[in-house]
Amino acid sequence: MPAMTAVETGVRAGAGVPAEAVGPLVRGVGVLRRLAEAGGTLSPSALERATGLARSTVDRITATLARMGYVRLDGRDVVLTPGVLELGNAYLAALRLPALLGARAETLADELDESVSLAVADRDGIRFIHQATRRRALSVSFRIGDLLPAERTAPGALFATEWTERDWARWRTRRAEDPRDTAFPAVPPRPEPAPAHDTARTTGTTDTAAAVEAAFADRVGAARRDGWAVDDQLIEPGLVAVSAPVRDPRTGRVACVASVVSHTSRHPAAELPAALLPRLRTAVAAMEADLRTAPPPEPGPAPAGLATWTTASKQELGRDFVESLARGLTVLTAFGEGRPALSLTDVARATGLPRATARRALLTHEYLGLVAAAPHEDRAFALTPRVLDLGFPPLSRTTLPRLAEPHLRALADRVAEPAALAVLTADRTEIQYTAGAGTGGVLTVRIPVGARLPAAATSLGRVLLADTGTPAAPELAEARARGYALVDEELESGLRSVAVPVRDRTGRAVAAVNVATHAARRSLEDCVEHLLPALRATADDIQRDLHRASRFTKVPTT
């Protein structure tokens, strides 16, 4: 590993913000982190309290983040939007492991009917980069991007087999400063430690730092000896897991750890090695083979025009747009698939920023733990797992209806007509409404979420049926050729509606969005000339969010 830079050393030593750090960027990243920790939504007043920033500063930062598409201002709340996922997506794309190994994890989850996760090391913690979960009433709720303390997980014991004395020292410092793990919002905090004499009298043990370290060291030693590790309810009662390392074929070091996660009512911890480990090891061997044979990545297009965009936004919005914050965040998007390690020159070229601006942004991100010196690369930077702190966890388990709702509300307000999202049922005979936005008119269309209607008689159904193969019916062929469906009083007298498809990353229509109106209010020509353009723009907005959210995780359509 390359030596740490002076900036990184300062962070480890607890030094203050470096002189060259970009203050607005530090504060903006803090706002994103507080929003993520709160589940994605906070009021400006709550952000003011959580960050310690002045209200005027919070307002300027959130206005800038809104301009970038990372948050939206929803009434009195600031809400993370799928746009912020482009930051975490840049890290996951540069890492490549989710793309290369995710399908193996999904297959293993299907075979075992248990949740399967992939995690990477994040200093003295572990960070999830892929989750293949089961849809049960009692299920594992960890999300991509969640950070867990190493000592309370099976992957942590495996990563710690490679720790240096410096790593152990850092871990001890963190444990001493935060013995209850309050800095890890994804896990329940440890209970308040009882006085040593009370604990010893009632349990025969003491939950001291020395006891925690000894127990973890024992599990690390067992993981080194066995090549696998078990989590026996370390996080909370009932939760168990067995983990095995996936090794980098170039270095032999642990690239990530694959885990099968269950609960004691299905598999007691003592049974995990016999019940789940053999198939886990088979999957890990296949993952390592995939890493050995994976072709080099083809670099995708680097972002373009970012510096020009930030300058134009500053000219338009004035002091409400914090240009240094926007430029600093765009630096993170310079990384990606085929661009895992970039020099200062590479970053400046990709973003269009002056070298001095890019350098200060990189130094700031290094101070914040978001970039580090790239392994095996001279004078290059790489993103760290901590980029996932910036909004990824609360959005990694979103659904298509949740993505669509704000866009449907905006559409309904814009055209003063109700809008809805629907999907085809499994037998393709009906549509099911999954989201909607109404209007305040006396005469309006009100179809509740969950309602079903005949697919062939609705604009939503027709535009979806038109995408399922070679359409036989003339109205389906017409909808396919036009890219929209217009239904005039077929389902109910006076009801007109126009619909367009919403497509996933493969181009398949997975849902449809429509606007409904009364025949007395709008002619057919008016529906096409005025409603259809707004409807298509809304479908584009929903698709853009869907493509961001589904790049490394599944987005349910209902």
Side-chain angles (χ1 to χ4, degrees):
M1 295 288 290
M4 291 188 294
T5 67
V7 170
E8 189 174 7
T9 304
V11 175
R12 300 294 192 273
V17 180
E20 291 188 276
V22 182
L25 180 55
V26 174
R27 293 187 283 273
V29 167
V31 166
L32 288 176
R33 282 177 165 158
R34 298 294 87 77
L35 279 169
E37 290 168 1
T41 302
L42 281 176
S43 68
S45 297
L47 271 173
E48 184 181 359
R49 292 191 297 271
T51 60
L53 299 174
R55 177 59 181 268
S56 59
T57 302
V58 169
D59 289 344
R60 293 182 65 215
I61 288 173
T62 55
T64 302
L65 295 175
R67 178 70 169 193
M68 299 183 76
Y70 292 171
V71 306
R72 72 172 186 272
L73 307 180
D74 190 354
R76 296 183 177 181
D77 290 329
V78 181
V79 183
L80 289 174
T81 70
V84 78
L85 291 173
E86 71 178 10
L87 302 176
N89 283 343
Y91 164 72
L92 294 172
L95 184 67
R96 294 191 79 199
L97 293 178
L100 293 175
L101 309 182
R104 297 284 187 189
E106 298 286 344
T107 299
L108 180 62
D110 290 339
E111 290 176 357
L112 298 175
D113 194 26
E114 300 285 0
S115 295
V116 173
S117 65
L118 300 176
V120 296
D122 189 347
R123 295 186 182 176
D124 59 349
I126 70 143
R127 182 89 61 171
F128 292 114
I129 59 168
H130 184 82
Q131 289 282 1
T133 58
R134 304 293 87 188
R135 300 190 75 174
R136 297 195 186 102
L138 186 61
S139 61
V140 179
S141 62
F142 292 129
R143 307 159 300 182
I144 295 175
D146 275 339
L147 177 69
L148 277 61
E151 69 276 11
R152 293 177 67 179
T153 69
L158 290 163
F159 286 120
T161 62
E162 298 179 341
W163 281 6
T164 64
E165 281 303 317
R166 190 174 195 173
D167 295 324
W168 280 102
R170 181 174 57 202
W171 174 78
R172 292 185 191 101
T173 299
R174 188 262 295 166
R175 286 278 307 134
E177 294 174 349
D178 184 23
R180 298 193 62 212
D181 297 333
T182 57
F184 298 86
V187 299
R190 292 179 183 269
E192 290 280 3
H197 63 278
D198 291 345
T199 306
R201 184 169 59 248
T202 57
T203 68
T205 63
T206 57
D207 187 19
T208 63
V212 171
E213 180 172 349
F216 185 43
D218 286 345
R219 292 195 296 107
V220 173
R224 184 180 292 111
R225 180 190 67 240
D226 300 333
W228 49 270
V230 166
D231 170 357
D232 185 2
Q233 306 177 80
L234 295 169
I235 294 173
E236 65 179 25
L239 183 65
V240 294
V242 60
S243 302
V246 180
R247 297 192 176 275
D248 187 327
R250 300 169 300 168
T251 65
R253 294 178 61 85
V254 180
C256 68
V257 170
S259 303
V260 181
V261 187
S262 188
H263 49 82
T264 51
S265 59
R266 291 176 60 83
H267 293 287
E271 296 179 3
L272 294 179
L276 303 179
L277 184 59
R279 276 181 282 184
L280 171 60
R281 280 180 153 169
T282 299
V284 163
M287 291 178 184
E288 291 177 340
D290 289 342
L291 293 182
R292 283 193 300 272
T293 59
E298 291 291 335
L306 296 175
T308 302
W309 178 85
T310 58
T311 300
S313 296
K314 180 65 174 179
Q315 291 174 347
E316 180 180 343
L317 300 181
R319 70 179 307 275
D320 288 335
F321 185 79
V322 186
E323 188 173 16
S324 58
L325 167 59
R327 290 189 163 193
L329 290 176
T330 63
V331 163
L332 299 177
T333 65
F335 299 83
E337 186 172 4
R339 303 189 306 279
L342 297 177
S343 67
L344 171 59
T345 299
D346 295 332
V347 170
R349 184 183 302 118
T351 58
L353 296 173
R355 279 176 56 88
T357 301
R359 177 178 176 275
R360 290 192 66 199
L362 286 168
L363 288 173
T364 305
H365 288 312
E366 188 176 33
Y367 161 73
L368 294 169
L370 301 176
V371 305
H376 319 297
E377 298 280 348
D378 186 34
R379 295 187 178 183
F381 295 88
L383 299 181
T384 75
R386 294 207 164 191
V387 174
L388 296 173
D389 273 340
L390 307 184
F392 210 94
L395 293 170
S396 67
R397 285 204 178 166
T398 191
T399 64
L400 182 55
R402 289 179 186 172
L403 294 177
E405 282 169 359
H407 299 296
L408 294 177
R409 291 199 302 269
L411 175 62
D413 291 343
R414 177 179 174 185
V415 300
E417 303 285 4
L421 181 83
V423 297
L424 276 178
T425 57
D427 62 6
R428 299 182 179 180
T429 61
E430 294 179 310
I431 57 164
Q432 179 179 354
Y433 284 79
T434 58
T439 58
V442 176
L443 182 62
T444 187
V445 179
R446 291 188 176 90
I447 301 176
V449 170
R452 296 189 176 195
L453 293 175
T458 63
S459 61
L460 290 160
R462 286 184 184 176
V463 82
L464 289 169
L465 290 171
D467 197 67
T468 58
T470 304
E475 61 270 19
L476 298 186
E478 183 179 28
R480 185 169 188 170
R482 291 180 172 179
Y484 70 91
L486 179 63
V487 171
D488 182 25
E489 302 188 82
E490 294 184 38
L491 183 66
E492 183 177 322
S493 296
L495 179 62
R496 285 177 176 155
S497 68
V498 58
V500 297
V502 174
R503 301 186 182 277
D504 64 13
R505 293 177 63 86
T506 69
R508 182 173 63 95
V510 294
V513 60
N514 85 335
V515 171
T517 186
H518 191 273
R521 197 154 55 231
R522 293 184 185 269
S523 66
L524 293 175
E525 292 76 12
D526 189 34
C527 289
V528 173
E529 291 180 11
H530 295 100
L531 295 184
L532 183 58
L535 186 61
R536 281 179 162 157
T538 298
D540 289 343
D541 291 339
I542 296 172
Q543 284 179 173
R544 183 175 58 253
D545 284 352
L546 175 61
H547 295 176
R548 287 167 170 161
S550 62
R551 186 170 181 186
F552 292 105
T553 186
K554 292 182 178 179
V555 176
T557 57
T558 58

